[in-house]
Amino acid sequence: MAGNAPPRWDRRMQQRLARGEAAALGELYDRFASLVHSQAHRMLDDETAADLVTREVFGYVWENPGAYDPQQGSMRSWVARLTHRQSVRRLREEEGRRDEADEDGIGLEERVHRATAAARADYIVASMPAPLRAALELAYIQRRDYRQTAADLGVTEDEARRRLRLGLQLLSTAHTRPLEGMSPPGYGRPL
């Protein structure tokens, strides 16, 4: 899984990109394109804009491999932050072309807050341990109660409740911690 990529892989990838290896960009794209596109689509709610953000993010990574610092976190989290920043920039540009509030009366800052929380929730689910994610998927997507979840996972009911509680606690942070807060301010160069 890409979220478990060792720091050594991240450093090697950065070095390969710095040497201009097109194959490295292809490998990076294969690994993170779905993350970038789904995060951008979730924030922008526009397939064309998500495609554009995806191209912009990978273009930036290709042109600026030195902006990534392995000491500050994984390449996955750096790419996610770049995607978030570019998506927010697009939202603000779009808002600049429209009135201060959209048809629902929701202003730009509220849209950015909602999009950030949604992207953060996606990131949390994608990076949480597989046992927690499996329990949440059974309970909330397949509508199983904790007893059925325990049976499906082959664990005790107490363990199923523990996994569900922990997964929900992690997800609850999506509204309180912005995506950019995952690393020190100024990490890398912004898009």
Side-chain angles (χ1 to χ4, degrees), residues 142-153:
Q142 296 182 24
R143 303 277 192 202
R144 304 252 200 288
D145 66 22
Y146 75 93
R147 288 182 180 100
Q148 294 167 324
T149 298
D152 288 351
L153 294 175

Side-chain angles (χ1 to χ4, degrees), residues 63-188:
E63 293 172 1
N64 302 282
Y68 169 65
D69 180 1
Q71 298 299 316
Q72 297 294 319
S74 71
M75 187 162 284
R76 177 187 178 88
S77 63
W78 180 60
V79 169
R81 280 190 299 278
L82 293 174
T83 304
H84 179 262
R85 288 182 192 136
Q86 190 62 16
S87 297
V88 168
R89 180 172 287 132
R90 287 223 164 265
L91 280 172
R92 290 190 173 159
E93 287 172 1
E94 176 187 322
E95 192 65 26
R97 289 181 287 241
R98 295 189 315 170
D99 294 330
E100 193 60 79
D102 65 15
E103 59 276 356
D104 296 328
I106 299 171
L108 173 64
E109 290 308 313
E110 180 61 22
R111 288 181 63 216
V112 168
H113 176 73
R114 287 180 183 183
T116 299
R120 174 107 178 109
D122 284 346
Y123 181 82
I124 289 168
V125 169
S127 58
M128 74 174 43
L132 299 181
R133 189 173 47 250
L136 288 175
E137 288 174 357
L138 285 168
Y140 293 98
I141 295 174
Q142 296 182 24
R143 303 277 192 202
R144 304 252 200 288
D145 66 22
Y146 75 93
R147 288 182 180 100
Q148 294 167 324
T149 298
D152 288 351
L153 294 175
V155 298
T156 66
E157 291 178 5
D158 285 341
E159 177 62 15
R161 282 193 299 256
R162 188 192 68 76
R163 289 179 186 184
L164 290 169
R165 183 175 47 252
L166 183 54
L168 290 174
Q169 286 172 342
L170 288 171
L171 276 174
S172 72
T173 66
H175 292 285
T176 58
R177 288 180 33 202
L179 193 62
E180 292 137 336
M182 294 188 307
S183 68
Y187 167 64

Side-chain angles (χ1 to χ4, degrees), residues 17 25 28 56-65 78-79 82:
L17 290 167
L25 181 63
L28 189 77
E56 291 168 344
V57 166
F58 284 100
Y60 178 82
V61 170
W62 177 249
E63 293 172 1
N64 302 282
W78 180 60
V79 169
L82 293 174

Side-chain angles (χ1 to χ4, degrees), residues 4-14 68 70-71 73-75:
N4 298 330
R8 191 172 74 209
W9 182 90
D10 294 344
R11 285 190 299 274
R12 268 195 309 224
M13 177 57 67
Q14 180 188 28
Y68 169 65
Q71 298 299 316
S74 71
M75 187 162 284

